[in-house]
Every structure is written in C-alpha cells, then in structure tokens.
Amino acid sequence: MGILKGLKILDFSALLPGPMATMIFADLGADVIHVESSKRVDLTRIMPPYDEDREAYIHQHLNRSKKSLTLNLKSPEAVEIVQSLVEEYDIIIEGFRPGVMQRLGIDYEALKKVNPKLIYCSITGYGQTGPFSNRPGHDNNYLSLAGVLDYSRHKDKKPVSMGIQLADMAGGTMHAAIGILAAALHREKTGEGQYVDISMTDAVFSLNAMYGSAYIGGGRIPQPEQEILNGGSYYDFYKTKDGRFFSVGSLEPQFRRLLCEALDIPELIDNTFNDSFYTQTRFKEAVHDAFLSKTYAEWLEIFNDDFEGCVEPVLTFPEACEHPQLVARGMIVDIPKNDGTTQKQIASAFKFGDAQPVYKHVGAKLGEHNEEVLMSLGYSAEQIAALEEKGVLE
C-alpha cells in the first residue's frame, strides 16, 4: 500500500532536485502527477543512454510511478485544470525561478484560494528572497557560495566536481521532502496549509555543521587538507600498488590499533590526535607507504569481511551493485514497464517494519496519462480532444 498512501502531489519540477523528491514520495505510496510540457522538455528525458524505445534511463528512474500530464501553462484552460486538480492534489512542488508561477497564475497565493490546506514547496538555487533570488545556477555554484568546496579539496588543488550532486540532492531533494512532510504533519494537527521555500544554497550552507560551527563560534577558518575529516589526518584515501584505492576511517584508538596491525606498523599504534603535526604527518606517510606495498587484491584479503577497523575498498559502481551488503539490502529492484517486461533500477533506501516501497512503473511517456487525469476531473472525450486541438495539452 505504501506508508504515504493518501498524499496527492502535483510535480511541476524538472531535472533532479524536485523529481527525486517526488520519486521518494511515489516510492512510499504517494500519488504523483508530473505536469510537463512538450515545448520545454525536461532535460533528463533526452539524456543518454536510452532504452529500446528511446526513453532515457535517468528519466525512467527519477519519474517512476508518476503520471505524466502535459499542459501549456500559459493557457487559461490549463490554469483551470490545475485549479481543479488542487482541490484533491493538495501538495505542489515546483522548481521555476521566483515569479514564474505567479505570472502563470498558479502560485501559492492564487491556489490557496482554491484550497486553503494547500502545501506548496518551491525549490530554487538561492531562495525566494535576497539579491541572488533570480540568479541562475547549478550544483557546483551553490556548493561554492556555501563555503563547502574551498576546504573540500587538496592543498594547492582545485575543487573536484562531484559524481553525486550534493546541493541538488542533499540540499534540494532532502530538504524539500522534509519540509513537505513537516508541513503535512502541521496540517494534520491544525488544518492549515503552508508555503515551503527551499534554497539549495541555504541547505548546503547548513550542512557546514562541523567546521562551520567551529568558525562561527570560535573563529577557526577551515583549511583544505588540514582538518580531521578532509585529509588533514590519516582519515583519507590511499593508493595501492596497482593503482586502486582504499578508504581509511580508523579514527578511534581501537580501530587505529587494528589498522596498524594490518599494515604492519605496530610502532605507530600509540599515535594520537594530540601528537605534534610532524608526528601526524609521519603516521600518514607510513600508512601511504604501506598501501603502496601491496596490490588491491592483496589488501582485500587483509581487509576482509572479518576486519573491523573501518577500512573499505573504493569500489567502482558496477562493483558496488554486486557488493553483498547492497545485494542483501535489495538495493537494485525490477520496475514494471508497459510492455510487460521490467527494468532494473536503484531501489528506495527506506526500510519500514510493515510498509514496503511501491514501484508501479518506470517513468511515463510524455503526456501518457492526459486522458486518464482529465477524465478523473469529469472531462469528456470530446472536451479532451478539443483541448488537444487548441494546444492546451502540449
């Protein structure tokens, strides 16, 4: 059934932050309609690779279990359709620049007149207010302005472009999902709707919890490769003889002892964070040299399933897909397709005692559910055909 069955969401977002948030909701049982346009196609629909039907795998993943409704939002008839939907689909998530939804006549103030219980979440790069509110940006821009990237690099090296979009997902997706659920709980208690303003820059700035608090409270500026968790200690990544890498997180004394024993450097077991910078540097160099003495496969034998010293191999993504822990957790699932086959996708990360994720189908074709959605609102086949002819259904 899904633990969020009963939540009904209109998704006006595109790309990554909003669609991933509504994917989480759909996985957990919410009913989601993705409102799209054939004239302003979501870029994830055209990002290769594609399946045999020329549908992008990225889009089919991010938009699974959602219905697709195509509307020309500049038309009065489309606004009327949205107003009708909002009577039942009383949670909206959108990712346009500030002011766009207002110009279209479907902003929070306009739609809460239709349904005062409406929860309306806007995800933008910089938020609805402030001098940068209308400024365009991307993940690396938000991380840059939030002060994250400067100390998340090696000394004298440029920041590294992340494989995972941290500002988009940790900033946009997760904060939007939490904000919407908090607003839904508030509505459950009070009957009141809510507007949720999510700035991805605000969100990732708030993630500077460790070193940011040290600066704001104590004036200590975080520096690249000088802090405990950014390469300033032996908590780091180490290359093997054949060019692979291992992560070492053996911070606590009991884990450091196991590390030293495994690396055959027992003379450094008593090294602590209170030692001089020279001693810390010497210890890290010893760890570095030790890893270079053996191949990846040889270290896998040493840091095996029985080793409990917080050392793990840096896996390729194909290797991660086959790792026994992720396999045991069911992190790759088969999602139904319309032709009766299935497509493998990354599973929902949420595990509940009695409720299981709901995987209805892969991301829908553009406008696949136009007729179904409009008929549920009482439109006849003739009226739907007229809307198509007029260009309301893009």
Side-chain angles (χ1 to χ4, degrees):
M1 296 291 286
I3 203 165
L4 293 183
K5 181 176 173 58
L7 286 188
K8 294 182 177 292
I9 301 169
L10 287 182
D11 180 4
F12 291 88
S13 67
L15 296 174
L16 183 57
M20 188 160 186
T22 52
M23 182 193 77
I24 291 172
F25 288 136
D27 286 345
L28 299 182
D31 185 351
V32 180
I33 297 177
H34 191 193
V35 182
E36 305 181 82
S37 168
S38 63
K39 303 292 175 58
R40 188 176 182 272
V41 177
D42 186 340
L43 289 179
T44 64
R45 279 194 175 275
I46 57 176
M47 291 176 66
Y50 310 105
D51 69 3
E52 60 279 2
D53 296 322
R54 296 293 296 172
E55 295 288 332
Y57 288 106
I58 296 170
H59 183 274
Q60 289 185 316
H61 171 67
L62 289 173
N63 292 283
R64 66 185 176 211
S65 300
K66 307 173 194 176
K67 298 171 185 173
S68 173
L69 172 66
T70 51
L71 292 177
N72 175 6
L73 294 174
K74 294 180 180 179
S75 68
E77 295 90 342
V79 172
E80 290 176 6
I81 291 170
V82 172
Q83 290 172 337
S84 297
L85 283 168
V86 162
E87 294 180 9
E88 186 177 357
Y89 286 79
D90 52 11
I91 297 175
I92 283 180
I93 187 167
E94 61 94 8
F96 291 103
R97 287 201 211 179
V100 171
M101 296 295 269
Q102 184 178 19
R103 290 195 295 273
L104 295 171
I106 51 175
D107 59 308
Y108 175 65
E109 293 300 326
L111 293 180
K112 79 172 184 178
K113 295 175 183 176
V114 178
N115 187 344
K117 293 185 176 182
L118 178 67
I119 294 170
Y120 195 113
C121 178
S122 297
I123 305 175
T124 57
Y126 302 106
Q128 300 296 305
T129 59
F132 271 30
S133 60
N134 273 292
R135 190 179 181 91
H138 277 297
D139 190 86
N140 59 350
N141 304 133
Y142 313 140
L143 289 168
S144 297
L145 287 188
V148 174
L149 292 183
D150 180 62
Y151 67 86
S152 301
R153 60 186 174 90
H154 287 156
K155 286 180 287 187
D156 303 320
K157 300 291 185 180
K158 69 177 183 179
V160 175
S161 295
M162 298 289 175
I164 292 177
Q165 291 67 48
L166 293 179
D168 285 356
M169 294 189 287
T173 295
M174 297 304 176
H175 281 76
I178 293 168
I180 288 170
L181 291 176
L185 180 60
H186 174 76
R187 183 174 67 184
E188 197 71 23
K189 294 178 178 178
T190 66
E192 300 173 352
Q194 195 72 241
Y195 181 71
V196 185
D197 172 9
I198 298 295
S199 155
M200 287 181 272
T201 303
D202 288 358
V204 292
F205 181 77
S206 74
L207 297 181
N208 287 291
M210 180 172 288
Y211 302 125
S213 59
Y215 168 71
I216 292 172
R220 188 181 190 284
I221 301 174
Q223 298 294 328
E225 211 172 3
Q226 289 189 27
E227 313 302 329
I228 292 175
L229 303 181
N230 76 345
S233 72
Y234 60 92
Y235 181 100
D236 209 342
F237 302 93
Y238 296 92
K239 184 184 286 188
T240 65
K241 188 177 182 179
D242 53 348
R244 293 291 300 267
F245 289 89
F246 276 78
S247 59
V248 171
S250 317
L251 292 176
E252 294 81 358
Q254 68 273 27
F255 299 142
R256 187 171 60 247
R257 175 176 292 275
L258 292 172
L259 172 69
C260 290
E261 292 171 349
L263 296 180
D264 194 24
I265 48 174
E267 69 278 8
L268 298 177
I269 283 176
D270 293 329
N271 192 294
T272 70
F273 290 128
N274 296 323
D275 286 334
S276 68
F277 179 75
Y278 170 79
T279 305
Q280 287 285 345
T281 301
R282 179 170 170 264
F283 182 75
K284 185 171 182 178
E285 289 173 349
V287 175
H288 172 270
D289 292 343
F291 270 98
L292 285 174
S293 70
K294 289 182 172 61
T295 65
Y296 178 80
E298 289 172 327
W299 284 121
L300 279 180
E301 289 293 322
I302 293 170
F303 299 115
N304 54 38
D305 293 346
D306 296 326
F307 183 79
E308 296 186 350
C310 303
V311 178
E312 299 296 349
V314 176
L315 300 181
T316 65
F317 189 74
E319 289 170 340
C321 291
E322 297 178 1
H323 191 279
Q325 177 63 22
L326 293 170
V327 171
R329 297 286 290 176
M331 285 308 298
I332 295 181
V333 290
D334 291 316
I335 310 296
K337 297 181 68 175
N338 287 338
D339 61 6
T341 62
T342 60
Q343 182 184 108
K344 290 191 180 298
Q345 293 186 2
I346 298 171
S348 169
F350 294 94
K351 305 289 192 293
F352 297 98
D354 297 320
Q356 299 301 320
V358 178
Y359 305 116
K360 296 177 183 176
H361 52 76
V362 301
K365 296 182 184 297
L366 192 65
E368 183 176 330
H369 300 95
N370 284 358
E371 185 173 326
E372 176 185 333
V373 171
L374 292 178
M375 283 189 165
S376 74
L377 295 176
Y379 286 78
S380 67
E382 292 75 16
Q383 288 174 310
I384 295 172
L387 291 173
E388 289 177 342
E389 180 70 22
K390 196 173 182 179
V392 175
L393 303 178
E394 288 190 336

